[in-house]
């Protein structure tokens, strides 16, 4: 029997050398838990069997003494190439051919092994460079180093090589045959047996069109399973914490918890003797939930795997959507495969994820590291406690395993962003690929899918098809403004609400009013006007401030949503000049200046609301928020504004779009700068949300350009000409007759017309889908759902605790405590503000240069938010006030 004792895979606990054979066997078992038995390759072969072959050879290159030297001695320079993936990838291709895999199937294994420590490449280009091109690093790895490694293995441990090849090929291939393929006199020789599936012609030119349908999907499944299994195996064998099959399937929250929660609310409301309108609203919400629950049971038995849930804002869609998703999970009978069946709840913005997560944790009684619920976004501490924590292992080992389980979505429910889901499906990084095996048999909720960038729509539709067909997932698109986005395999998606119209008709809480400045955006109002003429009628900020002040005089609460940061700032200043309000931001700043206070204590003890009430003497209350305020401050100020407005206080809330979707606030009136139709409707959802008032009002105006700007905020953000605002004007024109428009006319009729117009424009970047069909993972990996702009992260400290944390960070850096440094820096995420910086933006760069870096060799800067410490950089009302010199410095 072959003895692998002297050929380690990696170093385990207490310096133990883990034999390669042990690691390969462990990875093989783990991949067997991940890839479904019924999955097929493009050629109709078993994908699970292909993956099993891959696991047996993925670290074959570690047989060289050169790799052992590299592993066991940090100082030693191996006598030969130490990288192990290229020769292992070539063997994977050979072994699959020997096992009878045909067509492009062997190339799946080649790519999975070649890149199991990196990210996937553009397939045709990579294979061409590896097998045909006569120069370059890739050519060297495959046709120089790999050949040298194979020769070395044959000279040193041929019996071990034969054992691995025999197991991988089930006796159909042998080491000598594979070695002969590589034992060539000239290292520049081509490898046509690798190139044939994706290269053509006499010169074997890259030909991605040769790849069969489903190729990229199969590569994703095998590669991601290998990456996760490899890391899980190495972590287990290196920590002593068992990451067995039970850790691959965590408990999903129970749907019955929702029934229990609703029953408790019903009892509380009965004792509170609610008014008739509130009771009717609650009855409508419960009626919608019950209908969706019944329809979700039908959806389980339907041929379609894509459903829509369309209900107006304020109807409790989050609770109803969770109920529907868990109903589908319960009915899908996923228990046969312990890897399958979890709920993935996705949202467009990190600003509303915490709200949904907090509601879900309260609903299901889960903790921060509970195996039933994980939150995953770029600011989250994504951890799931391992099921087995031996007392003998270190805290660091436990944290490593918890991070692995959290980042690979092994919990029963994951609350995350569109970015995490769709970028992981399209062109994932190596780390993000670990999420993909968790999607088998899942139910994916897309909350507010209309917020997805238009250019991504065709690719999202294709990725949803990948989810449903390859991963057996079910997808629920949930919103009040349902776009014509998902094709559901050329069928209409299953509707979880048989007829949404009655819900919209019953939920008639407000009127939409077009201010004269916005009427010019509608076609046919003045045929002689051009787009520039319409903009010339835009509302100046002094008059806008007077309008808001008038609402305050009437004792009402107003939410004014602007399109850009500088527009919101200008409006807030105008309101202040005309009302002399109590500035809630400044009251909050005074509380934070108390050294004994923290942001959380102010929030939990509700001291801010009490302080504001003590300060008020007949004036309205002003709150101003943009992304130039810290995330933790935004949450606290939104909470207090909502509490004060619901208590009948005259709150004037001036903000950007950050409060537009998913934020549970309710105002007497909402004023929205002109924007695309779905934004107008989402903004309206913050008005008279639960029939708190007799009738709410949503005013749509068009604000003028702020000082030093040439275009209106609407045009700056949403474009001119054939823009989304123009389509919005056309849709509104179908229901506008000069009078206030009832809510259903806009939220249902105009919205449907808007999306019909949008669908007729054939929106989206079709080339994104072509990248997927051509398996161009590198191209896909360059795409981003976020409109990324150059920015500098500025940490703003406003409490003594926060300033102490900055000092701890600097000490950790100076003492080389890198793990502590990473943890401490991560803890500052809630205090960070991203400041855009653009080429030629000299004013901003000059000011930023005066800010202190967090520590040497980092791009993060620190601002002391106390008065007098960084005047000109931070203001309690406006947040970080580095001058904006480009219209690109706007909130999107």
């Amino acid at each position: 029997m072959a003895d692998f004792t002297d050929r380690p895979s990696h170093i385990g606990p207490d310096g133990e050398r883990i034999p390669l054979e042990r690691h390969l066997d462990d990875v093989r078992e783990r991949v067997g838990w991940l890839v479904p038995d019924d999955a097929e390759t493009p050629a109709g072969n078993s994908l699970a069997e292909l993956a099993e072959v891959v696991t047996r050879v993925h670290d074959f290159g570690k047989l060289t003494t050169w790799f052992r030297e590299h592993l066991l001695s940090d100082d030693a320079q191996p006598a030969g190439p130490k990288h192990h993936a290229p020769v292992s990838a070539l063997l994977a291709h050979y072994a699959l051919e020997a096992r009878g895999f045909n067509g492009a199937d062997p190339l799946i294994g080649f790519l999975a092994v070649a890149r199991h420590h990196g990210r996937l490449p553009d397939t045709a280009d990579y294979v061409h460079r590896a097998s045909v091109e006569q120069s370059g690093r890739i050519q060297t790895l495959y046709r120089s180093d790999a050949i040298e490694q194979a020769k070395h293995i044959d000279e040193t441990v041929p019996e071990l090589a034969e054992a691995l090849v025999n197991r991988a090929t089930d006796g159909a291939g042998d080491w000598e045959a594979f070695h002969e393929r590589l034992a060539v006199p000239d290292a520049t020789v081509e490898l046509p047996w690798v190139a044939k599936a994706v290269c053509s012609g006499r010169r074997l030119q890259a030909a991605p069109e040769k790849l069969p349908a489903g190729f990229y999907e199969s590569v994703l499944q095998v590669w991601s399973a290998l990456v996760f299994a490899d890391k899980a195996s190495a972590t287990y064998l290196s920590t002593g914490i068992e990451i067995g099959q039970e850790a691959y399937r965590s408990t999903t929250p129970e749907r019955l918890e929702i029934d229990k929660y609703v029953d408790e609310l019903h009892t509380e409301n009965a004792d509170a003797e609610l008014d008739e309108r509130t009771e009717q609203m609650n009855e409508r919400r419960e009626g919608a939930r019950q209908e969706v629950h019944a329809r979700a049971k039908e959806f389980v038995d339907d041929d379609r795997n894509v459903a829509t849930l369309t209900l107006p804002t304020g109807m409790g869609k989050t609770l109803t959507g969770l109920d529907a998703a868990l109903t589908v999970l319960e009915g899908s009978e996923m228990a046969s495969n312990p890897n399958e069946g979890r709920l993935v709840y996705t949202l467009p913005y990190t600003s509303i994820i915490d709200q949904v997560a907090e509601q879900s944790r309260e609903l299901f009684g889960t903790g921060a590291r509970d195996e039933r619920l994980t939150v995953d976004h770029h600011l989250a501490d994504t951890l799931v406690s391992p099921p087995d924590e031996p007392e003998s292992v270190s805290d660091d080992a436990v944290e490593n395993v918890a991070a692995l389980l959290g980042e690979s979505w092994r919990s029963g429910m994951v609350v995350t962003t569109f970015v995490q889901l769709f970028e992981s499906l399209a062109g994932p990084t190596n780390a993000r690929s670990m999420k993909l095996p968790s999607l088998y048999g899942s139910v994916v909720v897309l909350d507010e899918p209309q917020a997805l960038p238009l250019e991504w729509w065709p690719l999202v539709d294709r990725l949803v098809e990948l989810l449903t067909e390859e991963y057996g997932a079910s997808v629920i698109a949930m919103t009040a403004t349902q776009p014509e986005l998902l094709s559901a395999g050329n069928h209409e998606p299953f509707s979880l609400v048989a007829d949404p119209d009655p819900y919209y008709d019953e939920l008639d809480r407000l009127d939409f009013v077009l201010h004269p400045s916005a009427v010019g955006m509608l076609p046919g109002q003045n045929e002689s006007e051009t787009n520039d003429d319409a903009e010339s009628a835009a509302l100046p900020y002094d008059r806008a401030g007077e309008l808001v002040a008038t609402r305050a005089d009437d004792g009402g609460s107003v939410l004014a949503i602007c399109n850009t940061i500088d527009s919101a700032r200008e409006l807030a200043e105008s309101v202040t000049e005309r009302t002399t309000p109590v500035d809630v931001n400044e009251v909050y700043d005074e509380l934070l200046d108390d050294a004994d206070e923290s942001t959380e204590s102010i929030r939990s003890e509700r001291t801010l609301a009490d302080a504001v009430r003590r300060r008020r003497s007949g004036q309205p209350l002003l709150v101003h928020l943009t992304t130039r305020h810290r995330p933790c401050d935004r949450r606290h100020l939104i909470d207090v504004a909502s509490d004060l407005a619901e208590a009948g206080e005259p709150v004037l809330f001036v903000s950007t779009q950050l409060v537009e979707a998913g934020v549970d606030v309710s105002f007497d009136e909402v004023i929205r700068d002109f924007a695309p139709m779905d934004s107008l409707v989402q903004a309206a959802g913050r008005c008279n949300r639960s029939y708190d008032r007799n009738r709410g009002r949503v005013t749509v105006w068009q604000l003028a350009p702020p000082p030093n700007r040439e275009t209106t905020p609407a045009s700056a953000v949403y474009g001119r000409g054939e823009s989304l605002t123009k389509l919005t004007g056309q849709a509104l024109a179908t229901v506008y007759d000069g009078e206030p428009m009832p809510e259903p006319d806009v939220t249902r009729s105009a919205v449907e017309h808007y999306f019909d117009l949008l669908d007729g424009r054939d929106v989206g970047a079709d080339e994104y889908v072509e990248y997927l069909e051509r398996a161009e993972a590198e191209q896909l990996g360059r795409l981003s759902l976020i409109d990324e702009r150059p920015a500098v992260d500025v940490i703003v400290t406003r409490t003594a605790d926060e300033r102490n944390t900055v000092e701890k960070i600097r000490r950790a850096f100076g003492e080389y405590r890198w793990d502590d440094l990473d943890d401490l820096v991560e803890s500052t995420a809630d205090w960070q503000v991203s400041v855009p910086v653009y080429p030629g933006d000299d004013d901003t760069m000059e000011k930023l240069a005066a800010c202190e870096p967090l520590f040497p060799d980092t791009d993060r800067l620190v601002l002391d938010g106390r008065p007098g410490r960084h005047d000109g950089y931070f203001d309690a009302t406006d947040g970080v006030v580095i001058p904006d010199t480009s219209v690109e410095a706007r909130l999107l």
Side-chain angles (χ1 to χ4, degrees):
M1 185 173 181
D3 184 3
F4 286 83
T5 306
D6 196 40
R7 287 297 184 267
S9 164
H10 58 278
I11 306 300
D14 303 322
E16 177 189 5
R17 301 179 185 182
I18 306 299
L20 176 60
E21 182 182 37
R22 181 181 173 193
H23 174 62
L24 294 178
D25 285 344
D26 192 60
V27 173
R28 176 186 57 79
E29 184 177 18
R30 292 174 186 280
V31 167
W33 300 338
L34 297 172
V35 181
D37 293 337
D38 58 355
E40 292 187 348
T41 70
N45 298 308
S46 168
L47 194 68
E49 183 181 342
L50 185 153
E52 184 259 343
V53 174
V54 162
T55 61
R56 290 187 180 275
V57 300
H58 75 281
D59 278 349
F60 173 82
K62 291 182 178 181
L63 285 178
T64 67
T65 57
W66 303 325
F67 176 81
R68 184 182 61 181
E69 291 171 11
H70 163 69
L71 182 67
L72 301 182
S73 175
D74 292 335
D75 298 328
Q77 180 62 38
K82 64 182 183 291
H83 32 257
H84 64 278
V87 69
S88 304
L90 292 172
L91 179 56
H93 194 289
Y94 165 79
L96 288 167
E97 282 191 331
R99 285 280 290 263
F101 285 86
N102 56 326
D105 284 1
L107 197 57
I108 295 171
F110 172 86
L111 288 169
V113 174
R115 306 302 297 164
H116 74 281
H117 290 301
R119 63 190 305 165
L120 291 173
D122 290 346
T123 297
D125 177 66
Y126 185 83
V127 172
H128 185 262
R129 284 188 287 157
S131 59
V132 178
E133 284 188 8
Q134 300 303 312
S135 63
R137 172 170 168 74
I138 302 301
Q139 180 271 336
T140 300
L141 288 174
Y142 285 93
R143 285 177 284 139
S144 176
D145 292 357
I147 292 172
E148 185 179 356
Q149 288 172 313
K151 180 180 178 181
H152 175 71
I153 290 171
D154 191 60
E155 292 172 348
T156 54
V157 284
E159 72 285 356
L160 299 186
E162 179 60 39
L164 292 184
V165 174
N166 185 65
R167 292 173 193 173
T169 63
D170 198 21
D174 62 79
W175 164 246
E176 183 179 353
F178 172 67
H179 185 220
E180 287 179 356
R181 278 194 172 189
L182 299 183
V184 293
D186 182 0
T188 62
V189 73
E190 295 176 352
L191 301 175
W193 49 280
V194 177
K196 61 184 179 182
V198 72
C199 297
S200 63
R202 291 179 57 190
R203 296 187 178 182
L204 291 176
Q205 295 299 310
E209 65 277 3
K210 288 186 64 177
L211 293 172
F215 176 83
Y216 186 62
E217 292 92 319
S218 293
V219 172
L220 275 183
Q221 291 177 83
V222 175
W223 172 66
S224 62
L226 176 62
V227 170
F228 177 51
D230 190 40
K231 292 183 180 180
S233 174
T235 302
Y236 158 49
L237 296 174
S238 299
T239 63
I241 300 177
E242 177 62 60
I243 311 177
Q245 192 168 7
E246 70 278 0
Y248 281 39
R249 166 70 184 273
S250 296
T251 305
T252 304
E254 295 186 9
R255 197 204 64 81
L256 289 177
E257 293 294 325
I258 298 177
D259 288 338
K260 180 181 177 182
Y261 176 80
V262 171
D263 289 343
E264 291 175 353
L265 280 182
H266 181 74
T267 301
E268 292 175 7
N269 291 337
D271 294 340
E273 297 182 357
L274 301 178
D275 62 77
E276 182 178 353
R277 286 180 303 174
T278 302
E279 287 185 355
Q280 289 176 350
M281 184 67 181
N282 289 336
E283 288 175 3
R284 291 187 183 101
R285 288 171 176 155
E286 179 59 11
R289 185 176 76 91
Q290 292 296 341
E291 179 190 351
V292 169
H293 175 67
R295 295 278 293 173
K297 291 182 176 180
E298 297 177 26
F299 176 51
V300 171
D301 298 323
D302 194 87
D303 292 337
R304 292 163 288 183
N305 289 323
V306 178
T308 58
L309 199 169
T310 308
L311 285 171
T313 57
M315 284 294 291
K317 286 195 299 298
T318 300
L319 195 68
T320 300
L322 288 172
D323 191 313
L326 292 175
T327 300
V328 174
L329 269 180
E330 290 177 359
S332 299
E333 298 181 355
M334 296 298 175
S336 59
N337 187 333
N339 174 55
E340 295 186 356
R342 49 185 42 84
L343 169 56
V344 180
Y345 193 108
T346 66
L347 300 117
Y349 314 115
T350 57
S351 59
I352 56 177
I353 280 185
D354 289 337
Q355 178 178 308
V356 172
E358 187 175 332
Q359 182 178 353
S360 299
R361 286 186 173 127
E362 178 184 355
L363 184 62
F364 301 118
T366 67
R369 295 174 58 151
D370 199 294
E371 64 170 9
R372 288 176 295 165
L373 194 153
T374 300
V375 177
D376 185 22
H377 57 80
H378 73 287
L379 296 178
D381 195 12
T382 308
L383 300 168
V384 174
S385 295
D388 175 29
E389 298 183 25
E391 294 182 2
S392 59
V393 303
S394 67
D395 291 340
D396 286 344
V398 173
E399 290 300 298
N400 288 340
V401 175
L404 176 74
L405 295 176
E407 292 168 5
S408 59
W409 289 2
R410 304 320 299 183
S411 58
M413 175 179 172
V414 179
V415 182
T416 188
T417 60
F418 291 162
V419 168
Q420 293 293 330
L421 174 67
F422 288 118
E423 291 188 13
S424 296
L425 274 169
T429 63
N430 189 269
R432 278 186 175 177
S433 74
M434 295 192 299
K435 299 172 171 56
L436 301 186
S438 296
L439 295 173
Y440 286 113
S442 62
V443 175
V444 178
V445 176
L446 307 179
D447 194 345
E448 310 295 356
Q450 78 285 345
L452 286 159
L454 290 180
E455 62 269 21
W456 271 72
W457 280 23
L459 180 58
V460 165
D461 187 28
R462 182 66 179 82
L463 293 174
V464 166
E465 180 185 337
L466 187 158
L467 267 174
T468 58
E469 293 189 359
E470 304 298 333
Y471 288 89
S474 299
V475 176
I476 299 174
M478 180 173 72
T479 180
T481 53
Q482 196 69 245
E484 296 182 12
L485 169 58
L486 304 180
S487 60
N490 297 320
H491 298 286
E492 286 291 324
F494 184 96
S495 178
L496 292 174
V497 180
D499 182 7
D501 285 337
Y503 291 105
Y504 285 83
D505 291 339
E506 291 174 5
L507 205 66
D508 191 5
R509 302 162 293 185
L510 53 88
D511 292 316
F512 281 83
V513 177
L514 289 185
H515 186 270
S517 61
V519 172
M521 300 292 286
L522 276 60
Q525 297 303 313
N526 187 337
E527 295 295 342
S528 65
E529 286 189 350
T530 65
N531 190 71
D532 289 335
D533 292 329
E535 288 195 5
S536 67
L539 186 66
Y541 289 90
D542 55 350
R543 290 171 51 197
E546 289 175 2
L547 193 153
V548 174
T550 300
R551 302 291 189 263
D553 292 340
D554 296 337
S557 60
V558 181
L559 169 63
I561 301 177
C562 301
N563 285 322
T564 65
I565 291 172
D566 50 1
S567 175
R569 184 181 300 154
E570 194 69 21
L571 179 60
E573 290 178 0
S574 178
V575 170
T576 299
E577 291 172 359
R578 284 154 183 78
T579 61
T580 317
V582 172
D583 191 323
V584 178
N585 297 59
E586 290 185 356
V587 177
Y588 177 58
D589 187 57
E590 293 170 8
L591 290 176
L592 287 176
D593 196 40
D594 185 338
D596 296 329
E597 294 283 5
S598 68
T599 55
E600 283 306 317
S601 65
I602 292 173
R603 184 184 188 195
S604 61
E605 297 169 11
R606 298 186 180 276
T607 55
L608 178 55
D610 293 337
V612 169
R613 288 189 176 98
R614 287 194 300 270
R615 184 74 59 85
R616 181 173 178 251
S617 179
Q619 315 105 297
L621 310 174
L622 175 68
V623 179
H624 176 215
L625 283 187
T626 71
T627 53
R628 293 300 177 86
H629 296 87
R630 306 185 308 170
C632 59
D633 299 335
R634 297 201 301 255
R635 288 198 302 273
H636 302 344
L637 289 167
I638 287 171
D639 283 348
V640 75
S642 178
D643 290 346
L644 292 169
E646 288 183 10
E649 304 280 4
V651 178
L652 309 179
F653 196 143
V654 179
S655 180
T656 50
Q657 302 96 313
L658 64 89
V659 298
E660 192 167 87
V663 179
D664 191 9
V665 295
S666 183
F667 289 81
D668 295 323
E669 179 170 4
V670 169
I671 303 175
R672 183 64 171 90
D673 197 6
F674 207 89
M677 180 62 69
D678 53 298
S679 293
L680 300 184
V681 173
Q682 290 294 337
R686 313 310 124 201
C687 180
N688 200 16
R689 191 169 176 84
S690 299
Y691 283 99
D692 305 303
R693 292 91 184 166
N694 290 328
R695 194 163 184 83
R697 175 169 56 184
V698 176
T699 298
V700 180
W701 62 22
Q702 183 189 191
L703 285 173
N708 302 317
R709 298 286 189 258
E710 296 180 356
T711 59
T712 65
S715 293
V717 175
Y718 302 111
R720 296 167 174 256
E722 293 293 320
S723 66
L724 298 181
T725 51
K726 181 174 183 179
L727 298 185
T728 299
Q730 294 173 1
L732 286 173
T734 63
V735 296
Y736 180 68
D737 61 1
E739 299 294 327
M741 299 169 284
E743 184 176 6
D745 286 3
V746 176
T747 59
R748 195 66 181 148
S749 300
V751 164
E752 287 186 349
H753 190 75
Y754 171 78
F755 282 118
D756 284 343
L757 291 171
L758 197 57
D759 188 51
R761 295 295 192 276
D762 193 24
V763 298
D766 293 331
E767 62 268 26
Y768 292 1
V769 178
E770 293 177 7
Y771 295 155
L772 189 147
E773 306 300 349
R774 294 158 61 99
E776 294 178 338
E778 189 173 341
Q779 295 289 344
L780 289 167
R782 292 177 181 147
L783 306 180
S784 176
L785 278 163
I786 301 173
D787 191 2
E788 296 180 334
R789 292 177 168 83
V792 174
D793 288 332
V794 179
I795 298 172
V796 181
T797 60
R798 303 185 69 182
T799 69
D801 284 346
E802 292 163 3
R803 291 187 288 274
N804 288 337
T805 298
V806 169
E807 292 308 313
K808 289 178 182 178
I809 289 172
R810 288 169 173 161
R811 283 198 299 271
F813 178 84
E815 296 167 3
Y816 310 109
R817 292 183 284 111
W818 307 126
D819 289 342
D820 290 343
L821 180 68
D822 290 342
D823 291 341
L824 287 166
V825 171
E826 189 173 289
S827 72
T828 68
D830 233 10
W831 319 332
Q832 291 184 25
V833 175
S834 248
V835 179
V837 179
Y838 300 91
D841 197 349
D842 296 333
D843 286 349
T844 298
M845 287 304 299
E846 183 178 348
K847 280 208 168 187
L848 287 174
C851 300
E852 192 175 3
L854 181 59
F855 53 82
D857 303 320
T858 181
D859 293 332
R860 287 186 174 90
L861 304 177
V862 178
L863 286 178
D864 189 329
R866 288 177 292 181
R869 297 304 176 102
H870 274 111
D871 289 344
Y873 293 86
F874 181 81
D875 178 83
T877 301
D878 294 333
V880 176
V881 290
I882 305 296
D884 300 327
T885 59
S886 167
V887 76
E888 297 297 324
R890 61 183 182 253
L891 176 70
L892 292 179

